[in-house]
Amino acid sequence: MIENRRKILKRAGATGTLAMAFAAGLLRPEQLFAAGWNKDAFGSKSAQDALKSLGAASIADSKDIVIEAPQIAENGAVVPIEISSNLPNTKSIAVLIEKNPFPLAARFEFQEGAVPFVKVNVKMGESSNVRVLAEAGGKYFTAVKEVKVTIGGCGG
Amino acid sequence: MADPMKIRATLKGDVADVRVLMGHPMETGQRKDSAGKVIPIHFIQEVIVKLNGKTVIEGQISQAISRNPVFSFRVKGAKTGDKVEISWLDNKGDKNQTETAIA
């Protein structure tokens, strides 16, 4: 993080463009936090770009990824999603809500001792496919489940 | 000061079910207040789960996770009394952590 920040500072440097960037709202100070946070993937506005930023080039469909989510979610602000992977050596699981403004919602890395399982509540702006990307044995696998949303949970 | 967290870990066989609640607004940066001003984006970015001091799950999350996030995780090879620790870090550098013994 600190390195990144220095680079930005150096680049902006004497010209004072950094201050301008802040003023213009292009560069929010909070974006400089959290080292491991994949800014590119989380900042992607399409699911495809997000998958690319996660390094997933060739992806195979898999029935070993189980997504449990309601078919119809009444409240888009709280949609419970449960994911488990039966793929051997699942290293990570990413959740993408394809029609959200920023599709990538979460990514979990599992070390030795963890079960590749997670349950979490997500926000959904509108009815959308929920796509799960799992990384296992150096390969990428995906599964999709459609969730219909009655009231969106992103705007005001 | 961050809102308190709640954690519970229960053993089923040799797999422990860990549930955690984090008090956090999880603002998307898209909502507006009554005056029409955008409420600044404020959300948890990192979640780390440790079993007996060793990291087992590392999560990166976005503003699309619901307000006051609730997670369930599972760790295997755990025993009653083992320590589960969960911490988070948000985009403003705020953080919190909690721990419990597996019951």
Side-chain angles (χ1 to χ4, degrees):
Chain A
M1 169 189 86
I2 291 173
E3 234 186 71
N4 220 336
R5 196 166 168 157
R6 276 204 192 123
K7 260 186 238 158
I8 294 168
L9 284 168
K10 208 186 263 175
R11 226 184 295 144
T15 61
T17 43
L18 185 65
M20 275 171 61
F22 273 122
L26 293 171
L27 191 63
R28 286 184 232 113
E30 57 262 39
Q31 286 178 341
L32 300 173
F33 277 107
W37 202 69
N38 190 334
K39 207 167 58 185
D40 290 341
F42 280 106
S44 298
K45 291 193 173 163
S46 78
Q48 268 180 336
D49 287 352
L51 291 173
K52 222 179 280 171
S53 299
L54 289 172
S58 65
I59 308 168
D61 287 339
S62 171
K63 288 198 170 77
D64 290 321
I65 301 168
V66 184
I67 309 171
E68 277 193 42
Q71 268 184 339
I72 298 170
E74 275 184 24
N75 180 3
V78 185
V79 183
I81 292 180
E82 189 178 310
I83 302 152
S84 55
S85 164
N86 298 322
L87 296 158
N89 303 319
T90 301
K91 205 186 129 207
S92 76
I93 284 177
V95 189
L96 296 98
I97 296 146
E98 292 189 343
K99 285 198 182 155
N100 267 9
F102 301 97
L104 182 60
R107 180 173 183 273
F108 297 94
E109 272 178 42
F110 303 97
Q111 317 282 345
E112 171 103 42
V115 180
F117 162 93
V118 68
K119 186 176 176 189
V120 64
N121 295 334
V122 299
K123 294 175 204 159
M124 293 182 65
E126 56 182 305
S127 300
S128 166
N129 278 340
V130 173
R131 180 175 293 280
V132 172
L133 176 78
E135 188 186 352
K139 294 197 181 105
Y140 289 94
F141 301 92
T142 188
V144 168
K145 171 142 191 172
E146 193 191 3
V147 177
K148 289 197 165 65
V149 175
T150 325
I151 306 163
C154 278
Chain B
M1 184 57 201
D3 287 335
M5 297 167 73
K6 276 186 191 161
I7 187 170
R8 190 160 62 182
T10 45
L11 201 62
K12 283 176 199 143
D14 76 334
V15 173
D17 199 35
V18 182
R19 287 201 279 169
V20 64
L21 184 148
M22 307 168 181
H24 200 282
M26 298 301 284
E27 281 297 343
T28 60
Q30 307 212 11
R31 292 197 322 140
K32 288 176 180 157
D33 63 16
S34 51
K37 250 184 74 186
V38 172
I39 303 169
I41 190 162
H42 184 201
F43 65 103
I44 294 173
Q45 290 190 313
E46 285 185 347
V47 177
I48 292 174
V49 184
K50 287 182 181 174
L51 176 66
N52 292 328
K54 189 178 145 269
T55 300
V56 286
I57 299 170
E58 263 178 275
Q60 299 179 15
I61 66 173
S62 82
Q63 61 273 29
I65 301 300
S66 302
R67 178 191 171 89
N68 296 331
V70 179
F71 294 93
S72 288
F73 299 110
R74 286 179 186 164
V75 291
K76 57 191 169 192
K79 302 183 299 294
T80 304
D82 281 357
K83 198 176 85 174
V84 179
E85 191 185 321
I86 297 186
S87 58
W88 60 255
L89 171 70
D90 76 12
N91 67 323
K92 293 186 177 174
D94 208 359
K95 56 190 165 188
N96 202 354
Q97 69 167 61
T98 187
E99 61 177 62
T100 189
I102 294 174

